[in-house]
Amino acid sequence: MKTRKTLAAALAVLLLTVGLLAGCSPSGKSTNGEGASAPSNEGGSAPTGGTSGAVKLDIIETGNNLPTPDKDYIKEALDKALGTDLNLTVYASADDYKNQLNVRLASGNSPDLFQVPDRASLKQFAQQGLLLDLTPYMEQLQPVKSFIGDESLKKTTIDGKIYAIPKAPNIPYNTYWIRKDWLDKLGLQPPQTIDEFLNVVKAFAEKDPDGNGKKDTIGLTGSKLSTFSPIFGAFGVGDPNTFYVKDGKLVNSLYDPAMKDALAFIKKLNDTGAVDPEIMANTGLQHQEKAIKGQAGIVWIDWPNMSKDQFTEQIKKVNPNADWIQLAPPKGPGGQYDGPFDIGGTSGIYAIPKALEKNKDKLQKVLDLLNYVSGKEGSMLVQYGIAGKHYNLEGDKVVPTDLMAKEGGFTWLYQFTGRPEMSYLQTKFAPQAKYIEFANSQPRIQILNGFLTNPDGFNPADATRFIEENLVQFIYGKAPLDGYDNFLKTLETSMNFKTYMDDSMKQLQDLGYGK
């Protein structure tokens, strides 16, 4: 991969130099004057004709583990199916990728297909006229639409036009995990309500559940305010500064009357002294380390970081009897929600440069590629590898071979439109299938933040920091909740939050939410 990346970088510099000297873009040259042909693979199967010779496609994205071309069996299979010569370059560093992408777009040396770093970048590129408006091509991209769902296209719609393809929807990973062996030792049942949850958190800290004769355990740990996502959910509230539809109306959680009730209960939890005092300072996987080391009885975390083999082995080394189980969200006055799930979020969006509309051969091949990896044949290829080699089919069930584990660590780089997340994960991570199913099946508050782009003059980092600092003051009793309304007023006047709110509401209403 390093060699390909180096070569690609050198080529990019060379093309940039040539482009600047010639005053034109290599990718902007028209190879013929024909329009993009009618869809050649409505069902997502490989196109069978119409192109003589391989069409080179330059694709860039973030990622890692891309093998050299001679070992890249996905490239080989795609090229054979589509009549292409794919040149995929991946960048391990997101910052490096952004820099490379910006240089290439600014110089007119655009890749033929590229990952857009985020929705803010999508808006910027679209307004700069750098992206192909895909709206007129959606009929040709019917296999893509069927694969990702029509609703997903709202994620990449700017001012009523579709400027990129988002990956198929993800599924939620996080739940509370609780030490069942500690519950059993203390004669407790898994808590079902927020009051029972509070009692268990307190008992884990006070009643020596690990039996070492020391008061050295904590009831609950996690990272940042998301630790309390199911508690916010128990009051029917999304995490701080999330948008959702409640009783038919668009709501920002900070303005939801139940937010103050949720904060009051979280303060009550903290007042027990049983919650990890370092929650707001925990970074990375420090909360996981505390759980693995037997220091905490409940942790808010995703299933991979508690159930994959390397972590279960670490847990057993500390205490062979440690028995972590997933916990359903506790019920509260606002319902029972395992935190929020952003239905506007996506793990990746891919755009085609506007310049490609002048190169119809390449454009058609890019559309073919997107359709192919969205169809059954192509999707199976980029998920699992070569049939009969990396996997076998037993009916509709995919049975991985040993070779999939050895050679399949990079196929996700070609999943430009994503994958059917549940079936993919349960195939790739069969031992963890029940944990995946549990996390995905919990009720969630569907939030809409992923659909938003920030208005000019609004700094989301500053606002987020201000919101977090003030909410922490409330939940640790350093500021009275009576001051919550003043906090909102200050937020609106000092952080341009009112503009953000008005603009966000309009964006979501324009997409059909809350009407």
Side-chain angles (χ1 to χ4, degrees):
M1 184 202 79
K2 185 176 181 181
T3 301
R4 291 175 67 178
K5 179 179 171 181
T6 303
L7 289 173
L11 180 59
V13 172
L14 176 61
L15 289 174
L16 172 60
T17 303
V18 173
L20 289 173
L21 290 173
C24 64
S25 161
S27 60
K29 294 178 181 177
S30 176
T31 57
N32 62 48
E34 297 177 359
S37 61
S40 56
N41 57 337
E42 289 282 353
S45 59
T48 55
T51 302
S52 59
V55 176
K56 292 186 177 180
L57 294 183
D58 185 17
I59 306 170
I60 66 171
E61 62 181 351
T62 57
N64 50 51
N65 294 329
L66 182 67
T68 54
D70 61 312
K71 296 180 180 177
D72 188 345
Y73 58 85
I74 300 296
K75 166 186 160 52
E76 181 183 359
L78 289 173
D79 285 345
K80 182 179 179 181
L82 298 168
T84 55
D85 179 9
L86 300 182
N87 177 32
L88 175 62
T89 304
V90 301
Y91 297 85
S93 162
D95 289 340
D96 188 20
Y97 175 74
K98 285 183 179 179
N99 292 335
Q100 292 288 336
L101 178 61
N102 287 332
V103 167
R104 294 192 62 171
L105 292 179
S107 67
N109 178 30
S110 303
D112 302 311
L113 179 68
F114 58 91
Q115 185 181 12
V116 180
D118 48 43
R119 188 172 163 86
S121 299
L122 181 72
K123 180 181 178 182
Q124 177 191 339
F125 296 158
Q127 291 179 338
Q128 291 174 337
L130 297 171
L131 306 182
L132 181 65
D133 174 12
L134 297 178
T135 314
Y137 298 89
M138 293 318 297
E139 281 302 312
Q140 295 187 52
L141 289 168
Q142 189 59 49
V144 173
K145 287 177 63 179
S146 298
F147 186 67
I148 65 174
D150 289 348
E151 193 78 2
S152 290
L153 293 173
K154 292 181 179 179
K155 302 172 185 177
T156 50
T157 297
I158 303 289
D159 297 330
K161 297 180 179 179
I162 302 167
Y163 282 104
I165 299 299
K167 288 190 173 184
N170 292 325
I171 59 174
Y173 283 24
N174 274 53
T175 62
Y176 277 142
W177 289 71
I178 189 168
R179 284 284 296 267
K180 184 176 183 303
D181 56 310
W182 283 14
L183 287 171
D184 293 343
K185 180 176 176 59
L186 301 180
L188 298 170
Q189 295 296 314
Q192 298 183 22
T193 68
I194 54 173
D195 288 335
E196 292 175 3
F197 184 83
L198 184 147
N199 290 334
V200 169
V201 168
K202 190 176 178 183
F204 279 174
E206 295 180 348
K207 297 186 178 179
D208 191 25
D210 61 354
N212 67 355
K214 302 176 183 177
K215 190 177 178 181
D216 58 356
T217 52
I218 50 181
L220 170 66
T221 188
S223 180
K224 315 296 181 188
L225 288 173
S226 66
T227 304
F228 306 104
S229 288
I231 303 301
F232 285 119
F235 286 85
V237 178
D239 281 6
N241 195 21
T242 53
F243 289 86
Y244 44 90
V245 176
K246 191 173 187 177
D247 299 327
K249 296 181 179 179
L250 270 174
V251 177
N252 179 295
S253 63
L254 294 175
Y255 294 83
D256 189 325
M259 172 57 84
K260 284 195 284 188
D261 296 332
L263 293 174
F265 186 83
I266 294 170
K267 178 181 181 300
K268 193 175 176 182
L269 266 174
N270 283 324
D271 286 346
T272 65
V275 177
D276 182 0
E278 297 176 330
I279 274 180
M280 297 308 299
N282 284 339
T283 58
L285 288 173
Q286 286 180 308
H287 57 306
Q288 181 215 38
E289 293 174 10
K290 292 174 182 177
I292 289 176
K293 291 178 179 177
Q295 297 171 345
I298 303 175
V299 60
W300 172 250
I301 200 167
D302 56 271
W303 61 261
N305 279 308
M306 287 299 285
S307 64
K308 291 177 93 171
D309 290 347
Q310 64 265 42
F311 302 125
T312 57
E313 289 171 5
Q314 291 178 33
I315 290 169
K316 294 301 180 186
K317 281 183 180 178
V318 176
N319 183 347
N321 297 318
D323 184 11
W324 285 98
I325 61 171
Q326 288 166 295
L327 181 67
K331 296 177 184 176
Q336 184 182 19
Y337 298 100
D338 221 352
F341 180 68
D342 193 346
I343 61 172
T346 177
S347 57
I349 51 180
Y350 289 81
I352 301 171
K354 183 173 176 56
L356 213 60
E357 67 183 349
K358 297 179 180 178
N359 190 333
K360 304 303 182 185
D361 283 349
K362 276 196 173 185
L363 175 55
Q364 186 60 57
K365 287 298 183 184
V366 174
L367 300 181
D368 287 345
L369 172 62
L370 293 172
N371 280 335
Y372 185 62
V373 298
S374 302
K376 184 175 182 180
E377 182 179 295
S379 180
M380 290 290 282
L381 171 68
V382 297
Q383 287 183 77
Y384 305 118
I386 308 297
K389 183 176 181 181
H390 299 102
Y391 72 93
N392 294 302
L393 282 177
E394 293 181 359
D396 291 333
K397 184 181 178 182
V398 174
V399 181
T401 66
D402 292 341
L403 208 55
M404 181 191 287
K406 293 178 181 176
E407 297 183 348
F410 74 97
T411 63
W412 61 276
L413 295 169
Y414 288 94
Q415 295 168 4
F416 304 119
T417 57
R419 60 205 184 199
E421 192 74 354
M422 175 61 85
S423 60
Y424 175 83
L425 291 175
Q426 290 190 317
T427 300
K428 286 273 189 172
F429 303 98
Q432 288 78 34
K434 66 178 180 180
Y435 307 120
I436 300 168
E437 173 64 31
F438 185 93
N440 185 52
S441 64
Q442 301 310 305
R444 311 271 173 172
I445 294 176
Q446 294 191 340
I447 63 171
L448 309 168
N449 291 54
F451 292 117
L452 297 173
T453 51
N454 294 317
D456 294 337
F458 175 70
N459 187 322
D462 288 347
T464 299
R465 183 169 53 251
F466 181 82
I467 291 168
E468 182 177 287
E469 288 173 352
N470 278 271
L471 295 190
V472 167
Q473 295 279 317
F474 292 132
I475 66 174
Y476 284 100
K478 296 180 179 178
L481 267 170
D482 291 347
Y484 188 84
D485 292 343
N486 285 333
F487 147 68
L488 283 181
K489 289 179 182 177
T490 305
L491 176 65
E492 291 174 356
T493 55
S494 65
M495 296 289 161
N496 215 13
F497 201 76
K498 182 68 165 55
T499 299
Y500 164 75
M501 279 293 299
D502 292 344
D503 192 78
S504 297
M505 289 291 187
K506 183 178 184 309
Q507 288 182 57
L508 294 173
Q509 287 170 351
D510 288 346
L511 290 174
Y513 294 105
K515 286 185 176 178

